[in-house]
Structure formats: C-alpha cells, structure tokens
Amino acid sequence: MENKTIQMQDTHGRTHNYLRISITEHCNLRCTYCMPAEGIALTPRAHLMTADEIVTIAQTFVNLGVTKIRLTGGEPLVRKDAKDIILRLGKLGVELTLTTNGILVHEFIETFREAGITTLNVSIDSLQKEKFNQITRRNYFDKLWENLDLLDTNGFQVKLNVVVIKGFNDNEIIDFIELTKARNIQIRFIEFMPFDGNQWNKEKLVSYAEIMTIVNNYYSDIKVERLLDKPNDTAKNHKITIHKGSFSIISSVTNPFCSTCNRIRLTADGKLKNCLFSNSETALLDTLRAGKSIEPLLFQNIKSKHAMRGGMDDDAKFQNPELFSQNRSMIKIGG
C-alpha cells in the first residue's frame, strides 16, 4: 500500500489523494456559466458508469491512497440510484462529501447522516430571486432557501459556491458576506472560468484582487482576517472578525493553485481528467468491463498531468478560445 501511494504522484511531485466523481450529466437547473443555452448532447446510458462501477473505481483509488471523495454532476442528487451510491461510498472509510444545487437535499438528510457526510457545498449565484431564476433558467429559489435552513437545522456545515460574473452578481459580494454575520457558513467566491459554450471572456472576470478591494473598502472599520489555509486548499480563506462564518476566494484564473493540486476527476462516462482545464482524458470503462486492472491507467493519467491548468500555462493560452473550447462544458466535467 505504501509503495502504491507514492506512485500516486505526478512528475511534479504532487500526491493525489482527492477524487471527485461525477455520477450524472443531468441537472435540474440550466446555469448559464455551466451549460450552453441550447443544452448538451447527453452521453448514452450504456456508456455511463453503473453504481457498481462507480464503487469499484472508487475502491481502487482508496486502495491507492485516496482519502477524500466528492460527488458532483450535473446535479448528483437527480440520479435515481444516488442514495445507494452515497451509502456504499460512505462505507469506504474516507471523507465523503458532495457539491449540489440544494434543490433536492430535503430527500437525502437521513442518507447523508448514514453515509457520514457532514459538509456540503451548495451552489447559489444570487440572493435575488429574479436574478437567480435568470442565471439558472429555472424557478427554485424558495425551495433552495428552505433546504439551506433545513441543512442548518440538522447540523450540516454548509459552504455556498458563488461564481462571480462582472455586471451580473459582483454587486452582491457584500450581501453574501453579510450572511456570515449570524450563520456559521463559508461563502466561496469562484472566479469565472472558461469552458465550452459558457460565453467566457476576461471582461466578465472579477478577480481575487478586485473582490478583496470591495471587501476591504466596505469593512474599513472592521478587521478582515486572513485565515490559515489548509494543505492543498484551493481557496484563499478570510473572515470578518465579528462574523460567525467566513468567506474564501477560489482564484483559478488570476492566482492558480496548481502547485499544490491533489485532485483528480472521474467523469460520469468513466473517464479520468487530471485537471479541470485538461482536454485530454483516460477512458476506464472498456478496461474495467473487460475484467482487467485499471491501475496502470490511473498511474498513466496522473503521470501525464501538466504543471499548470492543463498546459495553458500563460494568459494568452488561457484566453485562447481554440484551446478552452476543446474542453468539455462544465456540466460534463463535474466541477
């Protein structure tokens, strides 16, 4: 085991112990930054991982040193056998969590408890009902807030994911941080990132520096603390001294955290992506379904990981639509 764990390193010395599994490409929202307006062509069911295959692949990674698994989608909770998958992964002896849009969590409270889940990331990009409906192209604002209160009442630690887009919700940054005054939640501001079909351009980007300028100007009479980040943390963590909760900024565009990345992603169709921005993938299902070991494929994928953002290691490459449009849309990656 010890020898195999060492082999989970890439050529840049980064050890990978965090697996993100997308269990579906389906979603009950249609967020503009995630999915093209015309929708996406979904992968045929026969090419998607079954529950057994998800658990088998996850167990293989755990055997090789993975200590944390996050379920994503699409929206993971729309999958019909999501409860079964969650409960089975909860028995692997690792930290289990998920990222959700929160619309269905009221149906899963007991499942989360039984699986040992204590923390959830909930995506919400506006505190204004009309704006929320605009960006999600759906009308679930009230249900989401009911479920956030339900999670709070049941003792779950909630992190709110907010993709900040200039001219859309950057005027709500302080409103989000004010939520931390009385609630022990973490607001996670995420820089708008380029993916296929999400109409990205740098003019829509609100940078880490810009967010902190807004925060420091507003809280000029109150201390804004810079908290200690955890090892391999993607977020730069902060807190308003007198607030109960905290906030953080994920600066994948302006201050990438590639040097400490420990993440690897498994798509719903059973392909490994060693970077969110990588346009290369390693297919696992054919090998798995043939009864062969997938371990060599895992090592091969990790060893091929670029030092930074899937090889887009400078600003010009990162803004080149010919490069980032070769990647999947976010809903088919799993975040």
Side-chain angles (χ1 to χ4, degrees):
M1 175 70 72
E2 184 176 350
N3 186 45
K4 288 184 178 179
T5 301
I6 292 173
Q7 291 182 62
M8 290 283 283
Q9 286 186 345
D10 63 17
T11 58
H12 308 283
R14 297 171 295 197
T15 299
H16 294 73
N17 60 1
Y18 179 7
L19 176 64
R20 299 172 68 100
I21 306 175
S22 173
I23 64 172
T24 182
E25 295 174 354
H26 289 274
C27 188
N28 45 3
L29 299 182
R30 292 293 183 271
C31 296
T32 56
Y33 60 84
C34 178
M35 183 187 292
E38 66 276 11
I40 60 169
L42 295 173
T43 303
R45 185 173 181 179
H47 299 293
L48 298 174
M49 294 185 293
T50 65
D52 287 346
E53 288 167 343
I54 290 170
V55 175
T56 296
I57 295 172
Q59 181 68 72
T60 303
F61 269 102
V62 171
N63 292 344
L64 298 175
V66 159
T67 58
K68 180 177 180 178
I69 294 175
R70 176 180 298 278
L71 298 183
T72 66
E75 166 51 44
L77 301 184
V78 302
R79 180 161 168 155
K80 292 181 180 179
D81 55 358
K83 290 184 180 180
D84 176 57
I85 292 170
I86 291 169
L87 291 174
R88 292 172 69 182
L89 294 178
K91 297 176 181 178
L92 296 184
V94 299
E95 178 186 351
L96 181 64
T97 185
L98 73 153
T99 297
T100 173
N101 59 34
I103 307 302
L104 296 175
V105 297
H106 58 285
E107 300 177 10
F108 287 82
I109 297 298
E110 294 306 317
T111 302
F112 294 157
R113 281 208 188 98
E114 189 175 342
I117 293 174
T118 58
T119 301
L120 292 91
N121 286 30
V122 179
S123 300
I124 175 173
D125 299 309
S126 179
L127 300 175
Q128 300 173 20
K129 186 172 183 176
E130 297 76 15
K131 195 183 291 186
F132 175 89
N133 293 343
Q134 178 187 342
I135 200 168
T136 64
R137 305 188 184 108
R138 293 295 184 270
N139 185 19
Y140 288 125
F141 184 82
D142 294 334
K143 171 52 69 175
L144 171 55
W145 277 99
E146 286 178 20
N147 282 342
L148 287 175
D149 288 337
L150 182 65
L151 289 170
D152 191 36
T153 301
N154 282 275
F156 291 94
Q157 176 65 47
V158 174
K159 299 178 181 180
L160 296 186
N161 287 352
V162 185
V163 176
V164 185
I165 302 174
K166 188 165 290 185
F168 179 78
N169 61 356
D170 53 329
N171 62 342
E172 295 188 64
I173 289 171
I174 299 303
D175 294 336
F176 274 105
I177 292 179
E178 283 294 286
L179 289 177
T180 71
K181 182 178 290 184
R183 288 177 178 247
N184 184 26
I185 61 174
Q186 183 187 75
I187 308 298
R188 291 159 53 91
F189 296 115
I190 303 170
E191 291 184 342
F192 186 36
M193 295 177 282
F195 295 96
D196 183 37
N198 74 347
Q199 307 301 311
W200 186 88
N201 65 65
K202 200 167 186 180
E203 283 67 44
K204 295 180 181 179
L205 174 69
V206 183
S207 70
Y208 169 56
E210 290 173 303
I211 293 172
M212 287 309 302
T213 296
I214 292 169
V215 172
N216 288 319
N217 286 343
Y218 184 85
Y219 294 103
S220 58
D221 296 329
I222 307 172
K223 184 178 180 183
V224 180
E225 296 181 45
R226 179 68 167 93
L227 302 177
L228 183 66
D229 300 330
K230 296 179 181 178
N232 307 113
D233 209 336
T234 61
K236 296 175 173 62
N237 297 285
H238 302 77
K239 176 182 174 65
I240 309 302
T241 301
I242 62 174
H243 286 198
K244 192 172 182 180
S246 62
F247 71 96
S248 62
I249 302 169
I250 299 176
S251 53
S252 304
V253 178
T254 62
N255 290 276
F257 38 82
C258 303
S259 63
T260 59
C261 183
N262 65 336
R263 292 154 180 77
I264 192 160
R265 290 168 168 80
L266 178 63
T267 63
D269 57 346
K271 295 177 181 176
L272 283 186
K273 290 179 70 74
N274 55 31
C275 175
L276 186 59
F277 298 107
S278 174
N279 56 28
S280 63
E281 303 171 345
T282 301
L284 301 181
L285 287 188
D286 286 347
T287 300
L288 184 67
R289 290 172 180 178
K292 300 177 182 178
S293 173
I294 61 171
E295 285 190 15
L297 296 176
L298 310 190
F299 297 143
Q300 173 190 332
N301 182 275
I302 292 171
K303 294 292 185 184
S304 68
K305 186 167 184 171
H306 288 279
M308 179 180 290
R309 292 188 306 209
M312 294 187 287
D313 49 9
D314 61 45
D315 200 48
K317 291 179 184 177
F318 197 65
Q319 293 190 61
N320 184 349
E322 292 185 7
L323 292 179
F324 68 70
S325 65
Q326 294 173 21
N327 199 359
R328 300 187 186 213
S329 58
M330 177 66 95
I331 194 168
K332 296 193 75 171
I333 297 174

